[in-house]
PDB file of all heavy atoms in Angstrom:
ATOM      1  N   GLY A  25       0.794  -1.215   0.000  1.00  0.00           N
ATOM      2  CA  GLY A  25       0.000   0.000   0.000  1.00  0.00           C
ATOM      3  C   GLY A  25       0.832   1.272   0.000  1.00  0.00           C
ATOM      4  O   GLY A  25       0.306   2.361  -0.282  1.00  0.00           O
ATOM      5  N   ARG A  26       2.120   1.158   0.292  1.00  0.00           N
ATOM      6  CA  ARG A  26       3.002   2.322   0.299  1.00  0.00           C
ATOM      7  C   ARG A  26       3.563   2.631  -1.086  1.00  0.00           C
ATOM      8  O   ARG A  26       4.257   3.638  -1.257  1.00  0.00           O
ATOM      9  CB  ARG A  26       4.194   2.081   1.237  1.00  0.00           C
ATOM     10  CG  ARG A  26       3.854   2.038   2.707  1.00  0.00           C
ATOM     11  CD  ARG A  26       3.451   3.378   3.238  1.00  0.00           C
ATOM     12  NE  ARG A  26       4.436   4.426   2.983  1.00  0.00           N
ATOM     13  CZ  ARG A  26       4.192   5.721   3.133  1.00  0.00           C
ATOM     14  NH1 ARG A  26       3.005   6.128   3.513  1.00  0.00           N
ATOM     15  NH2 ARG A  26       5.137   6.629   2.895  1.00  0.00           N
ATOM     16  N   HIS A  27       3.259   1.795  -2.060  1.00  0.00           N
ATOM     17  CA  HIS A  27       3.891   1.921  -3.372  1.00  0.00           C
ATOM     18  C   HIS A  27       3.729   3.313  -3.964  1.00  0.00           C
ATOM     19  O   HIS A  27       4.672   3.878  -4.535  1.00  0.00           O
ATOM     20  CB  HIS A  27       3.327   0.878  -4.336  1.00  0.00           C
ATOM     21  CG  HIS A  27       3.850   0.990  -5.728  1.00  0.00           C
ATOM     22  ND1 HIS A  27       5.138   0.643  -6.071  1.00  0.00           N
ATOM     23  CD2 HIS A  27       3.262   1.443  -6.875  1.00  0.00           C
ATOM     24  CE1 HIS A  27       5.325   0.870  -7.362  1.00  0.00           C
ATOM     25  NE2 HIS A  27       4.215   1.350  -7.878  1.00  0.00           N
ATOM     26  N   CYS A  28       2.535   3.903  -3.815  1.00  0.00           N
ATOM     27  CA  CYS A  28       2.287   5.210  -4.428  1.00  0.00           C
ATOM     28  C   CYS A  28       3.038   6.330  -3.723  1.00  0.00           C
ATOM     29  O   CYS A  28       3.084   7.463  -4.230  1.00  0.00           O
ATOM     30  CB  CYS A  28       0.787   5.513  -4.448  1.00  0.00           C
ATOM     31  SG  CYS A  28       0.064   5.817  -2.822  1.00  0.00           S
ATOM     32  N   ARG A  29       3.635   6.037  -2.552  1.00  0.00           N
ATOM     33  CA  ARG A  29       4.376   7.063  -1.805  1.00  0.00           C
ATOM     34  C   ARG A  29       5.884   6.844  -1.858  1.00  0.00           C
ATOM     35  O   ARG A  29       6.636   7.554  -1.188  1.00  0.00           O
ATOM     36  CB  ARG A  29       3.934   7.063  -0.335  1.00  0.00           C
ATOM     37  CG  ARG A  29       2.469   7.356  -0.123  1.00  0.00           C
ATOM     38  CD  ARG A  29       2.096   8.737  -0.588  1.00  0.00           C
ATOM     39  NE  ARG A  29       0.671   8.990  -0.467  1.00  0.00           N
ATOM     40  CZ  ARG A  29       0.029   9.945  -1.109  1.00  0.00           C
ATOM     41  NH1 ARG A  29       0.687  10.731  -1.937  1.00  0.00           N
ATOM     42  NH2 ARG A  29      -1.264  10.110  -0.958  1.00  0.00           N
ATOM     43  N   THR A  30       6.339   5.861  -2.629  1.00  0.00           N
ATOM     44  CA  THR A  30       7.765   5.598  -2.717  1.00  0.00           C
ATOM     45  C   THR A  30       8.335   6.187  -3.998  1.00  0.00           C
ATOM     46  O   THR A  30       7.628   6.410  -4.977  1.00  0.00           O
ATOM     47  CB  THR A  30       8.053   4.084  -2.687  1.00  0.00           C
ATOM     48  OG1 THR A  30       7.353   3.452  -3.766  1.00  0.00           O
ATOM     49  CG2 THR A  30       7.607   3.478  -1.368  1.00  0.00           C
ATOM     50  N   ARG A  31       9.636   6.417  -3.994  1.00  0.00           N
ATOM     51  CA  ARG A  31      10.325   6.953  -5.166  1.00  0.00           C
ATOM     52  C   ARG A  31      11.229   5.877  -5.764  1.00  0.00           C
ATOM     53  O   ARG A  31      11.527   4.876  -5.132  1.00  0.00           O
ATOM     54  CB  ARG A  31      11.167   8.170  -4.776  1.00  0.00           C
ATOM     55  CG  ARG A  31      10.329   9.348  -4.261  1.00  0.00           C
ATOM     56  CD  ARG A  31      11.176  10.590  -4.131  1.00  0.00           C
ATOM     57  NE  ARG A  31      12.278  10.388  -3.185  1.00  0.00           N
ATOM     58  CZ  ARG A  31      13.314  11.214  -3.058  1.00  0.00           C
ATOM     59  NH1 ARG A  31      13.402  12.281  -3.852  1.00  0.00           N
ATOM     60  NH2 ARG A  31      14.258  10.978  -2.166  1.00  0.00           N
ATOM     61  N   GLY A  32      11.660   6.140  -6.987  1.00  0.00           N
ATOM     62  CA  GLY A  32      12.533   5.171  -7.660  1.00  0.00           C
ATOM     63  C   GLY A  32      11.764   4.412  -8.716  1.00  0.00           C
ATOM     64  O   GLY A  32      10.601   4.091  -8.542  1.00  0.00           O
ATOM     65  N   GLY A  33      12.420   4.115  -9.808  1.00  0.00           N
ATOM     66  CA  GLY A  33      11.795   3.405 -10.909  1.00  0.00           C
ATOM     67  C   GLY A  33      12.418   2.051 -11.135  1.00  0.00           C
ATOM     68  O   GLY A  33      13.080   1.476 -10.262  1.00  0.00           O
ATOM     69  N   PHE A  34      12.222   1.543 -12.338  1.00  0.00           N
ATOM     70  CA  PHE A  34      12.685   0.194 -12.673  1.00  0.00           C
ATOM     71  C   PHE A  34      14.197   0.048 -12.480  1.00  0.00           C
ATOM     72  O   PHE A  34      14.674  -0.893 -11.855  1.00  0.00           O
ATOM     73  CB  PHE A  34      12.308  -0.135 -14.116  1.00  0.00           C
ATOM     74  CG  PHE A  34      12.883  -1.431 -14.600  1.00  0.00           C
ATOM     75  CD1 PHE A  34      12.305  -2.637 -14.262  1.00  0.00           C
ATOM     76  CD2 PHE A  34      14.037  -1.441 -15.386  1.00  0.00           C
ATOM     77  CE1 PHE A  34      12.849  -3.839 -14.707  1.00  0.00           C
ATOM     78  CE2 PHE A  34      14.581  -2.633 -15.834  1.00  0.00           C
ATOM     79  CZ  PHE A  34      13.988  -3.836 -15.489  1.00  0.00           C
ATOM     80  N   PHE A  35      14.972   0.992 -13.018  1.00  0.00           N
ATOM     81  CA  PHE A  35      16.429   0.867 -12.955  1.00  0.00           C
ATOM     82  C   PHE A  35      16.946   1.023 -11.531  1.00  0.00           C
ATOM     83  O   PHE A  35      17.880   0.323 -11.117  1.00  0.00           O
ATOM     84  CB  PHE A  35      17.084   1.890 -13.886  1.00  0.00           C
ATOM     85  CG  PHE A  35      16.875   1.578 -15.341  1.00  0.00           C
ATOM     86  CD1 PHE A  35      16.009   2.342 -16.109  1.00  0.00           C
ATOM     87  CD2 PHE A  35      17.519   0.498 -15.928  1.00  0.00           C
ATOM     88  CE1 PHE A  35      15.799   2.052 -17.448  1.00  0.00           C
ATOM     89  CE2 PHE A  35      17.320   0.196 -17.277  1.00  0.00           C
ATOM     90  CZ  PHE A  35      16.452   0.980 -18.033  1.00  0.00           C
ATOM     91  N   ALA A  36      16.339   1.935 -10.765  1.00  0.00           N
ATOM     92  CA  ALA A  36      16.761   2.107  -9.377  1.00  0.00           C
ATOM     93  C   ALA A  36      16.536   0.826  -8.584  1.00  0.00           C
ATOM     94  O   ALA A  36      17.376   0.409  -7.784  1.00  0.00           O
ATOM     95  CB  ALA A  36      16.007   3.269  -8.739  1.00  0.00           C
ATOM     96  N   ASN A  37      15.401   0.165  -8.823  1.00  0.00           N
ATOM     97  CA  ASN A  37      15.115  -1.080  -8.121  1.00  0.00           C
ATOM     98  C   ASN A  37      16.025  -2.202  -8.605  1.00  0.00           C
ATOM     99  O   ASN A  37      16.511  -3.013  -7.807  1.00  0.00           O
ATOM    100  CB  ASN A  37      13.643  -1.468  -8.320  1.00  0.00           C
ATOM    101  CG  ASN A  37      12.712  -0.685  -7.419  1.00  0.00           C
ATOM    102  OD1 ASN A  37      12.509  -1.066  -6.275  1.00  0.00           O
ATOM    103  ND2 ASN A  37      12.168   0.405  -7.943  1.00  0.00           N
ATOM    104  N   ALA A  38      16.255  -2.274  -9.917  1.00  0.00           N
ATOM    105  CA  ALA A  38      17.095  -3.334 -10.462  1.00  0.00           C
ATOM    106  C   ALA A  38      18.530  -3.238  -9.951  1.00  0.00           C
ATOM    107  O   ALA A  38      19.189  -4.252  -9.691  1.00  0.00           O
ATOM    108  CB  ALA A  38      17.072  -3.280 -11.988  1.00  0.00           C
ATOM    109  N   LEU A  39      19.016  -2.012  -9.787  1.00  0.00           N
ATOM    110  CA  LEU A  39      20.397  -1.798  -9.342  1.00  0.00           C
ATOM    111  C   LEU A  39      20.520  -1.698  -7.826  1.00  0.00           C
ATOM    112  O   LEU A  39      21.636  -1.571  -7.312  1.00  0.00           O
ATOM    113  CB  LEU A  39      20.949  -0.519  -9.982  1.00  0.00           C
ATOM    114  CG  LEU A  39      21.045  -0.536 -11.510  1.00  0.00           C
ATOM    115  CD1 LEU A  39      21.427   0.843 -12.035  1.00  0.00           C
ATOM    116  CD2 LEU A  39      22.058  -1.586 -11.973  1.00  0.00           C
ATOM    117  N   ARG A  40      19.371  -1.765  -7.137  1.00  0.00           N
ATOM    118  CA  ARG A  40      19.361  -1.682  -5.670  1.00  0.00           C
ATOM    119  C   ARG A  40      20.088  -0.430  -5.195  1.00  0.00           C
ATOM    120  O   ARG A  40      20.962  -0.468  -4.308  1.00  0.00           O
ATOM    121  CB  ARG A  40      19.993  -2.928  -5.042  1.00  0.00           C
ATOM    122  CG  ARG A  40      19.359  -4.237  -5.446  1.00  0.00           C
ATOM    123  CD  ARG A  40      17.895  -4.293  -5.054  1.00  0.00           C
ATOM    124  NE  ARG A  40      17.734  -4.179  -3.603  1.00  0.00           N
ATOM    125  CZ  ARG A  40      16.573  -3.966  -2.990  1.00  0.00           C
ATOM    126  NH1 ARG A  40      15.488  -3.794  -3.705  1.00  0.00           N
ATOM    127  NH2 ARG A  40      16.507  -3.899  -1.684  1.00  0.00           N
ATOM    128  N   LEU A  41      19.760   0.702  -5.770  1.00  0.00           N
ATOM    129  CA  LEU A  41      20.374   1.961  -5.384  1.00  0.00           C
ATOM    130  C   LEU A  41      19.980   2.321  -3.946  1.00  0.00           C
ATOM    131  O   LEU A  41      18.951   1.869  -3.446  1.00  0.00           O
ATOM    132  CB  LEU A  41      19.940   3.067  -6.343  1.00  0.00           C
ATOM    133  CG  LEU A  41      20.378   2.897  -7.806  1.00  0.00           C
ATOM    134  CD1 LEU A  41      19.887   4.065  -8.636  1.00  0.00           C
ATOM    135  CD2 LEU A  41      21.893   2.753  -7.909  1.00  0.00           C
ATOM    136  N   PRO A  42      20.791   3.142  -3.273  1.00  0.00           N
ATOM    137  CA  PRO A  42      20.495   3.520  -1.879  1.00  0.00           C
ATOM    138  C   PRO A  42      19.097   4.099  -1.702  1.00  0.00           C
ATOM    139  O   PRO A  42      18.462   3.894  -0.662  1.00  0.00           O
ATOM    140  CB  PRO A  42      21.584   4.553  -1.571  1.00  0.00           C
ATOM    141  CG  PRO A  42      22.714   4.176  -2.459  1.00  0.00           C
ATOM    142  CD  PRO A  42      22.090   3.668  -3.725  1.00  0.00           C
ATOM    143  N   LEU A  43      18.644   4.837  -2.710  1.00  0.00           N
ATOM    144  CA  LEU A  43      17.304   5.409  -2.652  1.00  0.00           C
ATOM    145  C   LEU A  43      16.254   4.340  -2.408  1.00  0.00           C
ATOM    146  O   LEU A  43      15.319   4.523  -1.621  1.00  0.00           O
ATOM    147  CB  LEU A  43      17.002   6.143  -3.963  1.00  0.00           C
ATOM    148  CG  LEU A  43      15.572   6.664  -4.157  1.00  0.00           C
ATOM    149  CD1 LEU A  43      15.269   7.764  -3.158  1.00  0.00           C
ATOM    150  CD2 LEU A  43      15.387   7.169  -5.581  1.00  0.00           C
ATOM    151  N   VAL A  44      16.406   3.188  -3.067  1.00  0.00           N
ATOM    152  CA  VAL A  44      15.443   2.102  -2.928  1.00  0.00           C
ATOM    153  C   VAL A  44      15.488   1.518  -1.528  1.00  0.00           C
ATOM    154  O   VAL A  44      14.453   1.277  -0.894  1.00  0.00           O
ATOM    155  CB  VAL A  44      15.710   1.008  -3.978  1.00  0.00           C
ATOM    156  CG1 VAL A  44      14.805  -0.199  -3.744  1.00  0.00           C
ATOM    157  CG2 VAL A  44      15.496   1.567  -5.380  1.00  0.00           C
ATOM    158  N   SER A  45      16.679   1.286  -1.008  1.00  0.00           N
ATOM    159  CA  SER A  45      16.816   0.717   0.337  1.00  0.00           C
ATOM    160  C   SER A  45      16.219   1.636   1.394  1.00  0.00           C
ATOM    161  O   SER A  45      15.533   1.182   2.318  1.00  0.00           O
ATOM    162  CB  SER A  45      18.294   0.453   0.649  1.00  0.00           C
ATOM    163  OG  SER A  45      18.825  -0.515  -0.232  1.00  0.00           O
ATOM    164  N   ARG A  46      16.470   2.937   1.256  1.00  0.00           N
ATOM    165  CA  ARG A  46      15.900   3.884   2.218  1.00  0.00           C
ATOM    166  C   ARG A  46      14.381   3.881   2.132  1.00  0.00           C
ATOM    167  O   ARG A  46      13.689   3.945   3.161  1.00  0.00           O
ATOM    168  CB  ARG A  46      16.439   5.292   1.942  1.00  0.00           C
ATOM    169  CG  ARG A  46      17.903   5.488   2.317  1.00  0.00           C
ATOM    170  CD  ARG A  46      18.250   6.961   2.378  1.00  0.00           C
ATOM    171  NE  ARG A  46      18.055   7.642   1.100  1.00  0.00           N
ATOM    172  CZ  ARG A  46      18.995   7.740   0.168  1.00  0.00           C
ATOM    173  NH1 ARG A  46      20.198   7.178   0.366  1.00  0.00           N
ATOM    174  NH2 ARG A  46      18.754   8.378  -0.962  1.00  0.00           N
ATOM    175  N   GLY A  47      13.863   3.802   0.905  1.00  0.00           N
ATOM    176  CA  GLY A  47      12.421   3.775   0.729  1.00  0.00           C
ATOM    177  C   GLY A  47      11.786   2.544   1.346  1.00  0.00           C
ATOM    178  O   GLY A  47      10.713   2.621   1.954  1.00  0.00           O
ATOM    179  N   GLU A  48      12.440   1.398   1.206  1.00  0.00           N
ATOM    180  CA  GLU A  48      11.920   0.160   1.775  1.00  0.00           C
ATOM    181  C   GLU A  48      11.912   0.216   3.295  1.00  0.00           C
ATOM    182  O   GLU A  48      10.966  -0.240   3.945  1.00  0.00           O
ATOM    183  CB  GLU A  48      12.744  -1.030   1.289  1.00  0.00           C
ATOM    184  CG  GLU A  48      12.510  -1.379  -0.176  1.00  0.00           C
ATOM    185  CD  GLU A  48      13.319  -2.575  -0.625  1.00  0.00           C
ATOM    186  OE1 GLU A  48      14.189  -3.022   0.161  1.00  0.00           O
ATOM    187  OE2 GLU A  48      13.093  -3.058  -1.738  1.00  0.00           O
ATOM    188  N   ARG A  49      12.969   0.786   3.874  1.00  0.00           N
ATOM    189  CA  ARG A  49      13.020   0.902   5.335  1.00  0.00           C
ATOM    190  C   ARG A  49      11.918   1.832   5.845  1.00  0.00           C
ATOM    191  O   ARG A  49      11.257   1.544   6.848  1.00  0.00           O
ATOM    192  CB  ARG A  49      14.385   1.412   5.781  1.00  0.00           C
ATOM    193  CG  ARG A  49      15.509   0.387   5.651  1.00  0.00           C
ATOM    194  CD  ARG A  49      16.734   0.821   6.424  1.00  0.00           C
ATOM    195  NE  ARG A  49      17.288   2.075   5.916  1.00  0.00           N
ATOM    196  CZ  ARG A  49      18.208   2.139   4.966  1.00  0.00           C
ATOM    197  NH1 ARG A  49      18.662   1.022   4.407  1.00  0.00           N
ATOM    198  NH2 ARG A  49      18.674   3.312   4.564  1.00  0.00           N
TER     199      ARG A  49
END
């Protein structure tokens, strides 16, 4: 349900960029 409030796209998720990890936390 948080998906619409997170940032980052396909490439950010595929590369596991720090932005994605912070968003998941």
Side-chain angles (χ1 to χ4, degrees):
R26 291 291 306 167
H27 176 72
C28 69
R29 300 297 176 199
T30 58
R31 296 190 299 167
F34 173 79
F35 290 108
N37 281 275
L39 297 173
R40 303 300 299 168
L41 296 180
L43 173 66
V44 174
S45 297
R46 288 196 299 271
E48 288 181 351
R49 287 195 298 270

